[in-house]
Amino acid sequence: MAKFVLIFVLTCNLFKDFVICDKNTGDEYQSMKDEIEFLRERLETMDGKFVQLQKDFKRECRSREERFVGDGELNVEQQVIKLRQDVNQIKQGIASSYVRWGRTVCSGNASLVYKGYMGGNAYTDKGGPANYVCLPEDPIWGKYQDGIQNHGNKIYGTEYELYGSFNPFDKNLHDEDAPCAVCRTYYATTIMIPARTDCYSGWNKEYSGYLMSIDTVHPAAGEYICIDSDPEYILHGSGNQNGNVLYVVEAVCGSLPCLPYVDGRELTCVVCSK
């Protein structure tokens, strides 16, 4: 009996230890399970945060890229505006001038510097300048002595001399006095081309007309100039005062090839700019 009791006690103690051990094992398992669940939740949370960070990063990159492109486009636009302003300033600084003989106004986009009276050497003078000048309407005097001094040179007004059988203009200008206009054009170069009424390709036409100069029988020298095809005259009374005079210019065959030129034909002219 005592032996049975001893065996019973030992059996109970062993079972008790087993139960306690099983309980401890179960607690440890549950703890591990809870920890794994916690870690899983943390991992999911971190994964969600990582995905959100990726989205935020991409959004920020796009925003920066858009700002960069926008700033770049704005910068390019500002540079274009600046370049256009520079070009306009350069254009305003580029110009040339010419005299529109026979007129008091300028043509096209040219601006009037001043208008006045055409002048030059007397046709009877044997010396002095050959060129014509455009005298302004409002002279400013310096030191002077009134009265003809009978030495040095003189300047006269200019008359159209168009008597005879041919007048290339649409009005009677004989013995009328010629005006002039100094014009500024926004082109760098201005030239007068004789024997043409139109400019060559790439050039801008300022005006056209007829080539005129002094008569060959006169002792004074003269300059070839282009008188506008629709000339004006100074409204202060006409009269045969002579002084400086203008005649149409004819082509003469010989050294000058005919054709293309024609013997005795009056020459045209054109003023061109580029």
Side-chain angles (χ1 to χ4, degrees):
M1 183 68 178
K3 184 178 181 180
F4 177 77
V5 171
L6 178 62
I7 294 172
F8 178 76
V9 171
L10 292 171
T11 303
C12 287
N13 289 334
L14 180 63
F15 180 75
K16 181 181 179 181
D17 292 338
F18 176 78
V19 171
I20 293 172
C21 179
D22 183 62
K23 183 177 182 301
N24 292 335
T25 302
D27 291 342
E28 292 178 358
Y29 173 77
Q30 185 63 39
S31 178
M32 292 176 63
K33 184 177 179 182
D34 293 342
E35 187 173 354
I36 291 172
E37 181 66 20
F38 174 74
L39 290 174
R40 185 183 65 78
E41 291 177 356
R42 288 290 304 275
L43 181 62
E44 289 178 353
T45 301
M46 291 179 65
D47 185 59
K49 289 183 177 180
F50 178 74
V51 171
Q52 186 62 41
L53 286 173
Q54 282 185 318
K55 292 180 180 179
D56 293 342
F57 178 75
K58 290 179 179 179
R59 189 181 302 111
E60 180 65 20
C61 287
R62 284 196 299 269
S63 176
R64 290 185 178 182
E65 182 179 357
E66 289 172 357
R67 288 200 301 271
F68 175 77
V69 172
D71 293 342
E73 290 176 349
L74 180 61
N75 185 53
V76 170
E77 184 178 358
Q78 291 175 344
Q79 289 295 324
V80 170
I81 293 174
K82 179 65 167 56
L83 287 173
R84 285 176 178 171
Q85 291 174 345
D86 292 343
V87 169
N88 288 333
Q89 289 179 354
I90 292 172
K91 284 182 177 180
Q92 291 176 2
I94 295 176
S96 59
S97 63
Y98 63 91
V99 180
R100 191 178 187 188
W101 300 111
R103 293 299 300 268
T104 59
V105 295
C106 299
S107 60
N109 295 323
S111 58
L112 180 68
V113 181
Y114 70 90
K115 61 187 178 74
Y117 315 117
M118 182 177 174
N121 209 7
Y123 75 98
T124 55
D125 289 346
K126 297 179 179 179
N131 63 302
Y132 303 101
V133 294
C134 187
L135 296 164
E137 295 177 331
D138 51 351
I140 298 176
W141 306 102
K143 293 181 179 181
Y144 59 86
Q145 180 180 351
D146 289 335
I148 302 298
Q149 307 305 313
N150 292 319
H151 58 79
N153 206 279
K154 303 173 182 66
I155 194 165
Y156 298 81
T158 304
E159 288 184 0
Y160 301 109
E161 297 293 337
L162 294 167
Y163 61 86
S165 61
F166 178 73
N167 177 10
F169 305 108
D170 293 334
K171 61 189 73 171
N172 181 17
L173 296 171
H174 181 61
D175 284 340
E176 297 288 356
D177 300 321
C180 53
V182 176
C183 304
R184 182 177 188 262
T185 180
Y186 293 99
Y187 292 93
T189 305
T190 306
I191 59 173
M192 188 274 282
I193 305 175
R196 285 187 64 87
T197 58
D198 290 312
C199 300
Y200 290 105
S201 177
W203 288 79
N204 174 66
K205 181 178 178 179
E206 297 291 337
Y207 76 94
S208 62
Y210 289 89
L211 203 65
M212 299 188 76
S213 187
I214 201 166
D215 197 302
T216 56
V217 301
H218 295 153
E223 180 184 7
Y224 293 115
I225 60 171
C226 188
I227 297 293
D228 193 276
S229 60
D230 185 23
E232 301 173 75
Y233 55 88
I234 300 171
L235 299 175
H236 66 85
S238 59
N240 187 25
Q241 305 297 324
N242 289 322
N244 187 261
V245 290
L246 284 175
Y247 296 80
V248 291
V249 176
E250 298 175 334
V252 178
C253 293
S255 300
L256 187 66
C258 294
L259 297 170
Y261 289 90
V262 178
D263 194 51
R265 182 172 293 182
E266 287 73 19
L267 293 168
T268 57
C269 55
V270 63
V271 174
C272 305
S273 58
K274 182 177 181 180

